[in-house]
mmCIF file of all heavy atoms in Angstrom:
data_model
loop_
_atom_site.group_PDB
_atom_site.id
_atom_site.type_symbol
_atom_site.label_atom_id
_atom_site.label_comp_id
_atom_site.label_asym_id
_atom_site.label_seq_id
_atom_site.Cartn_x
_atom_site.Cartn_y
_atom_site.Cartn_z
ATOM 1 N N MET O 477 4.255 0.525 13.816
ATOM 2 C CA MET O 477 4.114 -0.879 13.413
ATOM 3 C C MET O 477 4.267 -1.829 14.591
ATOM 4 O O MET O 477 3.694 -2.903 14.601
ATOM 5 C CB MET O 477 5.165 -1.245 12.358
ATOM 6 C CG MET O 477 4.852 -0.739 10.976
ATOM 7 S SD MET O 477 6.029 -1.358 9.776
ATOM 8 C CE MET O 477 5.620 -3.091 9.748
ATOM 9 N N THR O 524 -0.971 -2.537 1.106
ATOM 10 C CA THR O 524 -0.435 -3.598 1.958
ATOM 11 C C THR O 524 -1.209 -3.603 3.268
ATOM 12 O O THR O 524 -1.677 -2.567 3.733
ATOM 13 C CB THR O 524 1.065 -3.399 2.265
ATOM 14 O OG1 THR O 524 1.248 -2.151 2.949
ATOM 15 C CG2 THR O 524 1.897 -3.420 0.992
ATOM 16 N N THR O 525 -1.355 -4.803 3.863
ATOM 17 C CA THR O 525 -1.951 -4.908 5.194
ATOM 18 C C THR O 525 -1.025 -5.743 6.076
ATOM 19 O O THR O 525 -0.388 -6.674 5.606
ATOM 20 C CB THR O 525 -3.363 -5.545 5.159
ATOM 21 O OG1 THR O 525 -3.291 -6.848 4.605
ATOM 22 C CG2 THR O 525 -4.323 -4.674 4.370
ATOM 23 N N SER O 529 -0.647 -10.393 6.671
ATOM 24 C CA SER O 529 0.325 -9.819 5.746
ATOM 25 C C SER O 529 -0.108 -10.104 4.312
ATOM 26 O O SER O 529 -0.069 -11.247 3.864
ATOM 27 C CB SER O 529 1.715 -10.405 6.004
ATOM 28 O OG SER O 529 2.180 -10.013 7.278
ATOM 29 N N ALA O 530 -0.542 -9.049 3.618
ATOM 30 C CA ALA O 530 -1.094 -9.247 2.276
ATOM 31 C C ALA O 530 -0.931 -7.993 1.429
ATOM 32 O O ALA O 530 -0.687 -6.898 1.942
ATOM 33 C CB ALA O 530 -2.577 -9.607 2.368
ATOM 34 N N LEU O 531 -1.107 -8.192 0.126
ATOM 35 C CA LEU O 531 -1.290 -7.094 -0.810
ATOM 36 C C LEU O 531 -2.731 -7.208 -1.279
ATOM 37 O O LEU O 531 -3.119 -8.224 -1.862
ATOM 38 C CB LEU O 531 -0.321 -7.188 -1.993
ATOM 39 C CG LEU O 531 -0.470 -6.081 -3.034
ATOM 40 C CD1 LEU O 531 -0.104 -4.717 -2.436
ATOM 41 C CD2 LEU O 531 0.398 -6.374 -4.253
ATOM 42 N N ILE O 545 -3.433 -11.032 -1.914
ATOM 43 C CA ILE O 545 -2.318 -11.922 -2.215
ATOM 44 C C ILE O 545 -1.438 -12.029 -0.977
ATOM 45 O O ILE O 545 -0.987 -11.006 -0.442
ATOM 46 C CB ILE O 545 -1.497 -11.385 -3.405
ATOM 47 C CG1 ILE O 545 -2.376 -11.286 -4.666
ATOM 48 C CG2 ILE O 545 -0.271 -12.249 -3.658
ATOM 49 C CD1 ILE O 545 -1.732 -10.527 -5.810
ATOM 50 N N ASP O 546 -1.200 -13.249 -0.522
ATOM 51 C CA ASP O 546 -0.274 -13.493 0.585
ATOM 52 C C ASP O 546 1.124 -13.147 0.071
ATOM 53 O O ASP O 546 1.603 -13.752 -0.894
ATOM 54 C CB ASP O 546 -0.345 -14.960 0.999
ATOM 55 C CG ASP O 546 0.612 -15.330 2.109
ATOM 56 O OD1 ASP O 546 1.514 -14.521 2.455
ATOM 57 O OD2 ASP O 546 0.494 -16.450 2.625
ATOM 58 N N VAL O 547 1.789 -12.186 0.720
ATOM 59 C CA VAL O 547 3.107 -11.742 0.243
ATOM 60 C C VAL O 547 4.230 -12.698 0.636
ATOM 61 O O VAL O 547 5.380 -12.491 0.268
ATOM 62 C CB VAL O 547 3.423 -10.305 0.709
ATOM 63 C CG1 VAL O 547 2.424 -9.317 0.139
ATOM 64 C CG2 VAL O 547 3.510 -10.205 2.227
ATOM 65 N N LYS O 548 3.894 -13.721 1.405
ATOM 66 C CA LYS O 548 4.875 -14.720 1.876
ATOM 67 C C LYS O 548 5.995 -14.078 2.707
ATOM 68 O O LYS O 548 7.127 -14.548 2.737
ATOM 69 C CB LYS O 548 5.460 -15.516 0.706
ATOM 70 C CG LYS O 548 4.405 -16.309 -0.052
ATOM 71 C CD LYS O 548 5.027 -17.177 -1.107
ATOM 72 C CE LYS O 548 4.168 -17.929 -1.985
ATOM 73 N NZ LYS O 548 2.959 -18.372 -1.957
ATOM 74 N N GLY O 549 5.632 -12.989 3.361
ATOM 75 C CA GLY O 549 6.544 -12.284 4.255
ATOM 76 C C GLY O 549 5.723 -11.705 5.389
ATOM 77 O O GLY O 549 4.498 -11.835 5.413
ATOM 78 N N LEU O 550 6.393 -11.031 6.324
ATOM 79 C CA LEU O 550 5.707 -10.489 7.494
ATOM 80 C C LEU O 550 5.748 -8.969 7.497
ATOM 81 O O LEU O 550 6.795 -8.370 7.284
ATOM 82 C CB LEU O 550 6.353 -11.022 8.773
ATOM 83 C CG LEU O 550 6.297 -12.540 8.953
ATOM 84 C CD1 LEU O 550 7.104 -12.954 10.174
ATOM 85 C CD2 LEU O 550 4.857 -13.010 9.068
ATOM 86 N N ALA O 551 4.586 -8.373 7.750
ATOM 87 C CA ALA O 551 4.423 -6.927 7.893
ATOM 88 C C ALA O 551 4.853 -6.156 6.648
ATOM 89 O O ALA O 551 5.770 -5.352 6.692
ATOM 90 C CB ALA O 551 5.164 -6.426 9.135
ATOM 91 N N PRO O 552 4.169 -6.389 5.519
ATOM 92 C CA PRO O 552 4.494 -5.593 4.347
ATOM 93 C C PRO O 552 4.240 -4.112 4.630
ATOM 94 O O PRO O 552 3.228 -3.756 5.227
ATOM 95 C CB PRO O 552 3.559 -6.128 3.265
ATOM 96 C CG PRO O 552 2.442 -6.783 3.992
ATOM 97 C CD PRO O 552 3.015 -7.259 5.290
ATOM 98 N N HIS O 553 5.181 -3.312 4.249
ATOM 99 C CA HIS O 553 5.176 -1.894 4.601
ATOM 100 C C HIS O 553 4.802 -1.056 3.383
ATOM 101 O O HIS O 553 3.659 -0.669 3.243
ATOM 102 C CB HIS O 553 6.562 -1.542 5.139
ATOM 103 C CG HIS O 553 6.643 -0.292 5.927
ATOM 104 N ND1 HIS O 553 5.983 -0.116 7.113
ATOM 105 C CD2 HIS O 553 7.317 0.858 5.707
ATOM 106 C CE1 HIS O 553 6.244 1.095 7.586
ATOM 107 N NE2 HIS O 553 7.053 1.706 6.741
ATOM 108 N N MET O 554 5.725 -0.842 2.491
ATOM 109 C CA MET O 554 5.494 -0.027 1.308
ATOM 110 C C MET O 554 5.251 -0.930 0.103
ATOM 111 O O MET O 554 5.656 -2.084 0.092
ATOM 112 C CB MET O 554 6.686 0.889 1.054
ATOM 113 C CG MET O 554 7.019 1.783 2.239
ATOM 114 S SD MET O 554 5.647 2.774 2.837
ATOM 115 C CE MET O 554 5.499 3.941 1.522
ATOM 116 N N VAL O 555 4.586 -0.366 -0.915
ATOM 117 C CA VAL O 555 4.345 -1.089 -2.163
ATOM 118 C C VAL O 555 4.746 -0.187 -3.327
ATOM 119 O O VAL O 555 4.506 1.014 -3.303
ATOM 120 C CB VAL O 555 2.881 -1.560 -2.292
ATOM 121 C CG1 VAL O 555 1.899 -0.404 -2.252
ATOM 122 C CG2 VAL O 555 2.682 -2.391 -3.556
ATOM 123 N N PHE O 565 5.982 -4.750 -5.777
ATOM 124 C CA PHE O 565 7.054 -5.061 -4.834
ATOM 125 C C PHE O 565 6.633 -4.556 -3.465
ATOM 126 O O PHE O 565 6.261 -3.390 -3.323
ATOM 127 C CB PHE O 565 8.358 -4.376 -5.255
ATOM 128 C CG PHE O 565 8.746 -4.633 -6.680
ATOM 129 C CD1 PHE O 565 8.330 -3.788 -7.694
ATOM 130 C CD2 PHE O 565 9.510 -5.741 -7.014
ATOM 131 C CE1 PHE O 565 8.679 -4.027 -9.019
ATOM 132 C CE2 PHE O 565 9.860 -5.993 -8.332
ATOM 133 C CZ PHE O 565 9.442 -5.134 -9.335
ATOM 134 N N THR O 566 6.670 -5.427 -2.453
ATOM 135 C CA THR O 566 6.359 -4.994 -1.093
ATOM 136 C C THR O 566 7.583 -5.179 -0.209
ATOM 137 O O THR O 566 8.289 -6.174 -0.311
ATOM 138 C CB THR O 566 5.166 -5.771 -0.492
ATOM 139 O OG1 THR O 566 5.492 -7.152 -0.359
ATOM 140 C CG2 THR O 566 3.910 -5.597 -1.335
ATOM 141 N N SER O 567 7.829 -4.199 0.649
ATOM 142 C CA SER O 567 8.915 -4.271 1.632
ATOM 143 C C SER O 567 8.356 -4.932 2.878
ATOM 144 O O SER O 567 7.524 -4.345 3.570
ATOM 145 C CB SER O 567 9.397 -2.862 1.992
ATOM 146 O OG SER O 567 9.805 -2.154 0.858
ATOM 147 N N ASP O 568 8.784 -6.158 3.143
ATOM 148 C CA ASP O 568 8.265 -6.927 4.270
ATOM 149 C C ASP O 568 9.183 -6.741 5.470
ATOM 150 O O ASP O 568 10.147 -7.488 5.662
ATOM 151 C CB ASP O 568 8.123 -8.395 3.877
ATOM 152 C CG ASP O 568 7.288 -8.567 2.611
ATOM 153 O OD1 ASP O 568 6.442 -7.705 2.319
ATOM 154 O OD2 ASP O 568 7.494 -9.561 1.910
ATOM 155 N N VAL O 569 8.864 -5.741 6.278
ATOM 156 C CA VAL O 569 9.734 -5.268 7.352
ATOM 157 C C VAL O 569 10.177 -6.375 8.301
ATOM 158 O O VAL O 569 11.353 -6.500 8.625
ATOM 159 C CB VAL O 569 9.053 -4.130 8.136
ATOM 160 C CG1 VAL O 569 9.906 -3.696 9.322
ATOM 161 C CG2 VAL O 569 8.781 -2.952 7.223
ATOM 162 N N ASN O 570 9.242 -7.198 8.760
ATOM 163 C CA ASN O 570 9.575 -8.180 9.794
ATOM 164 C C ASN O 570 10.170 -9.474 9.263
ATOM 165 O O ASN O 570 10.492 -10.367 10.048
ATOM 166 C CB ASN O 570 8.345 -8.487 10.648
ATOM 167 C CG ASN O 570 7.950 -7.308 11.516
ATOM 168 O OD1 ASN O 570 8.686 -6.338 11.658
ATOM 169 N ND2 ASN O 570 6.767 -7.371 12.084
ATOM 170 N N SER O 571 10.321 -9.602 7.962
ATOM 171 C CA SER O 571 10.970 -10.808 7.435
ATOM 172 C C SER O 571 12.218 -10.474 6.621
ATOM 173 O O SER O 571 12.856 -11.375 6.087
ATOM 174 C CB SER O 571 9.990 -11.649 6.610
ATOM 175 O OG SER O 571 9.417 -10.884 5.591
ATOM 176 N N GLY O 572 12.565 -9.199 6.512
ATOM 177 C CA GLY O 572 13.798 -8.819 5.824
ATOM 178 C C GLY O 572 13.799 -9.146 4.345
ATOM 179 O O GLY O 572 14.840 -9.455 3.777
ATOM 180 N N ALA O 573 12.628 -9.072 3.719
ATOM 181 C CA ALA O 573 12.541 -9.442 2.308
ATOM 182 C C ALA O 573 11.745 -8.416 1.520
ATOM 183 O O ALA O 573 10.954 -7.649 2.068
ATOM 184 C CB ALA O 573 11.887 -10.812 2.157
ATOM 185 N N LEU O 574 11.976 -8.445 0.229
ATOM 186 C CA LEU O 574 11.172 -7.725 -0.738
ATOM 187 C C LEU O 574 10.361 -8.789 -1.457
ATOM 188 O O LEU O 574 10.924 -9.715 -2.028
ATOM 189 C CB LEU O 574 12.071 -6.985 -1.735
ATOM 190 C CG LEU O 574 11.356 -6.184 -2.805
ATOM 191 C CD1 LEU O 574 10.858 -4.863 -2.216
ATOM 192 C CD2 LEU O 574 12.299 -5.907 -3.964
ATOM 193 N N SER O 575 9.039 -8.702 -1.387
ATOM 194 C CA SER O 575 8.213 -9.666 -2.104
ATOM 195 C C SER O 575 8.003 -9.156 -3.520
ATOM 196 O O SER O 575 7.554 -8.025 -3.727
ATOM 197 C CB SER O 575 6.864 -9.867 -1.418
ATOM 198 O OG SER O 575 7.039 -10.595 -0.233
ATOM 199 N N VAL O 576 8.331 -9.995 -4.484
ATOM 200 C CA VAL O 576 8.160 -9.686 -5.901
ATOM 201 C C VAL O 576 6.899 -10.420 -6.341
ATOM 202 O O VAL O 576 6.834 -11.648 -6.273
ATOM 203 C CB VAL O 576 9.388 -10.140 -6.711
ATOM 204 C CG1 VAL O 576 9.200 -9.821 -8.183
ATOM 205 C CG2 VAL O 576 10.667 -9.512 -6.159
ATOM 206 N N ILE O 577 5.885 -9.665 -6.761
ATOM 207 C CA ILE O 577 4.557 -10.227 -7.019
ATOM 208 C C ILE O 577 4.173 -9.994 -8.478
ATOM 209 O O ILE O 577 4.126 -8.850 -8.940
ATOM 210 C CB ILE O 577 3.513 -9.570 -6.095
ATOM 211 C CG1 ILE O 577 3.931 -9.741 -4.632
ATOM 212 C CG2 ILE O 577 2.123 -10.127 -6.363
ATOM 213 C CD1 ILE O 577 3.284 -8.766 -3.684
ATOM 214 N N VAL O 584 4.294 -15.158 -6.109
ATOM 215 C CA VAL O 584 5.079 -14.326 -5.197
ATOM 216 C C VAL O 584 6.434 -14.965 -4.975
ATOM 217 O O VAL O 584 6.534 -16.175 -4.732
ATOM 218 C CB VAL O 584 4.366 -14.182 -3.827
ATOM 219 C CG1 VAL O 584 5.204 -13.354 -2.864
ATOM 220 C CG2 VAL O 584 2.983 -13.584 -4.001
ATOM 221 N N ARG O 585 7.467 -14.140 -5.036
ATOM 222 C CA ARG O 585 8.813 -14.608 -4.736
ATOM 223 C C ARG O 585 9.463 -13.640 -3.756
ATOM 224 O O ARG O 585 9.767 -12.505 -4.114
ATOM 225 C CB ARG O 585 9.656 -14.717 -6.001
ATOM 226 C CG ARG O 585 11.030 -15.340 -5.705
ATOM 227 C CD ARG O 585 11.897 -15.383 -6.925
ATOM 228 N NE ARG O 585 12.204 -13.999 -7.285
ATOM 229 C CZ ARG O 585 12.757 -13.633 -8.425
ATOM 230 N NH1 ARG O 585 13.037 -14.497 -9.345
ATOM 231 N NH2 ARG O 585 13.009 -12.365 -8.663
ATOM 232 N N PRO O 586 9.684 -14.065 -2.502
ATOM 233 C CA PRO O 586 10.402 -13.210 -1.556
ATOM 234 C C PRO O 586 11.900 -13.197 -1.881
ATOM 235 O O PRO O 586 12.488 -14.230 -2.168
ATOM 236 C CB PRO O 586 10.157 -13.859 -0.197
ATOM 237 C CG PRO O 586 9.102 -14.897 -0.421
ATOM 238 C CD PRO O 586 9.148 -15.255 -1.866
ATOM 239 N N VAL O 587 12.485 -12.011 -1.838
ATOM 240 C CA VAL O 587 13.914 -11.846 -2.087
ATOM 241 C C VAL O 587 14.527 -11.224 -0.832
ATOM 242 O O VAL O 587 14.152 -10.101 -0.458
ATOM 243 C CB VAL O 587 14.167 -10.934 -3.307
ATOM 244 C CG1 VAL O 587 15.648 -10.684 -3.501
ATOM 245 C CG2 VAL O 587 13.524 -11.514 -4.556
ATOM 246 N N PRO O 588 15.454 -11.912 -0.153
ATOM 247 C CA PRO O 588 16.082 -11.335 1.040
ATOM 248 C C PRO O 588 16.838 -10.047 0.694
ATOM 249 O O PRO O 588 17.566 -10.008 -0.299
ATOM 250 C CB PRO O 588 17.057 -12.418 1.499
ATOM 251 C CG PRO O 588 16.602 -13.674 0.826
ATOM 252 C CD PRO O 588 15.955 -13.257 -0.455
ATOM 253 N N VAL O 589 16.616 -8.997 1.507
ATOM 254 C CA VAL O 589 17.305 -7.722 1.257
ATOM 255 C C VAL O 589 17.987 -7.159 2.501
ATOM 256 O O VAL O 589 18.747 -6.212 2.403
ATOM 257 C CB VAL O 589 16.343 -6.663 0.665
ATOM 258 C CG1 VAL O 589 15.896 -7.053 -0.728
ATOM 259 C CG2 VAL O 589 15.167 -6.392 1.579
ATOM 260 N N GLY O 590 17.722 -7.710 3.685
ATOM 261 C CA GLY O 590 18.315 -7.201 4.918
ATOM 262 C C GLY O 590 17.242 -6.877 5.933
ATOM 263 O O GLY O 590 16.045 -6.946 5.653
ATOM 264 N N LYS O 591 17.677 -6.502 7.130
ATOM 265 C CA LYS O 591 16.752 -6.287 8.248
ATOM 266 C C LYS O 591 16.015 -4.953 8.145
ATOM 267 O O LYS O 591 16.629 -3.905 8.071
ATOM 268 C CB LYS O 591 17.514 -6.334 9.565
ATOM 269 C CG LYS O 591 18.085 -7.694 9.887
ATOM 270 C CD LYS O 591 18.848 -7.664 11.191
ATOM 271 C CE LYS O 591 19.479 -9.010 11.463
ATOM 272 N NZ LYS O 591 20.353 -8.954 12.638
ATOM 273 N N GLY O 592 14.689 -5.042 8.146
ATOM 274 C CA GLY O 592 13.855 -3.844 8.193
ATOM 275 C C GLY O 592 13.707 -3.090 6.886
ATOM 276 O O GLY O 592 13.790 -1.861 6.880
ATOM 277 N N PRO O 593 13.432 -3.768 5.765
ATOM 278 C CA PRO O 593 13.247 -3.027 4.519
ATOM 279 C C PRO O 593 12.008 -2.132 4.584
ATOM 280 O O PRO O 593 10.998 -2.520 5.168
ATOM 281 C CB PRO O 593 13.091 -4.125 3.465
ATOM 282 C CG PRO O 593 12.573 -5.301 4.219
ATOM 283 C CD PRO O 593 13.179 -5.204 5.593
ATOM 284 N N GLN O 594 12.130 -0.951 4.006
ATOM 285 C CA GLN O 594 10.993 -0.032 4.050
ATOM 286 C C GLN O 594 10.787 0.637 2.698
ATOM 287 O O GLN O 594 10.158 0.080 1.822
ATOM 288 C CB GLN O 594 11.181 0.981 5.177
ATOM 289 C CG GLN O 594 11.142 0.292 6.525
ATOM 290 C CD GLN O 594 10.881 1.232 7.668
ATOM 291 O OE1 GLN O 594 10.362 2.323 7.506
ATOM 292 N NE2 GLN O 594 11.227 0.798 8.866
ATOM 293 N N GLY O 595 11.321 1.831 2.486
ATOM 294 C CA GLY O 595 11.057 2.591 1.272
ATOM 295 C C GLY O 595 11.713 1.994 0.036
ATOM 296 O O GLY O 595 12.676 1.237 0.121
ATOM 297 N N GLN O 596 11.159 2.350 -1.125
ATOM 298 C CA GLN O 596 11.655 1.866 -2.403
ATOM 299 C C GLN O 596 11.671 3.017 -3.403
ATOM 300 O O GLN O 596 10.837 3.915 -3.324
ATOM 301 C CB GLN O 596 10.761 0.763 -2.961
ATOM 302 C CG GLN O 596 10.524 -0.391 -2.031
ATOM 303 C CD GLN O 596 9.388 -1.274 -2.540
ATOM 304 O OE1 GLN O 596 9.154 -1.393 -3.719
ATOM 305 N NE2 GLN O 596 8.683 -1.896 -1.619
ATOM 306 N N VAL O 607 16.045 -0.342 -2.345
ATOM 307 C CA VAL O 607 15.248 -0.566 -1.153
ATOM 308 C C VAL O 607 16.041 -0.067 0.047
ATOM 309 O O VAL O 607 17.203 -0.448 0.231
ATOM 310 C CB VAL O 607 14.938 -2.067 -0.961
ATOM 311 C CG1 VAL O 607 14.094 -2.293 0.293
ATOM 312 C CG2 VAL O 607 14.254 -2.650 -2.183
ATOM 313 N N THR O 608 15.431 0.810 0.854
ATOM 314 C CA THR O 608 16.098 1.235 2.079
ATOM 315 C C THR O 608 15.935 0.119 3.117
ATOM 316 O O THR O 608 14.876 -0.488 3.224
ATOM 317 C CB THR O 608 15.516 2.545 2.637
ATOM 318 O OG1 THR O 608 14.125 2.371 2.887
ATOM 319 C CG2 THR O 608 15.731 3.696 1.681
ATOM 320 N N GLU O 611 17.331 -1.347 9.513
ATOM 321 C CA GLU O 611 18.098 -1.942 10.612
ATOM 322 C C GLU O 611 19.517 -2.325 10.213
ATOM 323 O O GLU O 611 20.347 -2.598 11.072
ATOM 324 C CB GLU O 611 17.336 -3.135 11.181
ATOM 325 C CG GLU O 611 16.049 -2.724 11.872
ATOM 326 C CD GLU O 611 15.246 -3.900 12.354
ATOM 327 O OE1 GLU O 611 15.849 -4.861 12.898
ATOM 328 O OE2 GLU O 611 14.020 -3.862 12.194
#
Side-chain angles (χ1 to χ4, degrees):
M477 283 186 68
T524 60
T525 60
S529 294
L531 179 65
I545 299 169
D546 178 349
V547 298
K548 298 185 184 337
L550 298 174
H553 198 64
M554 304 306 289
V555 59
F565 308 91
T566 64
S567 303
D568 306 334
V569 176
N570 291 348
S571 55
L574 180 78
S575 288
V576 180
I577 304 160
V584 178
R585 186 183 67 192
V587 176
V589 293
K591 294 179 183 173
Q594 294 198 21
Q596 306 167 30
V607 180
T608 58
E611 293 176 42

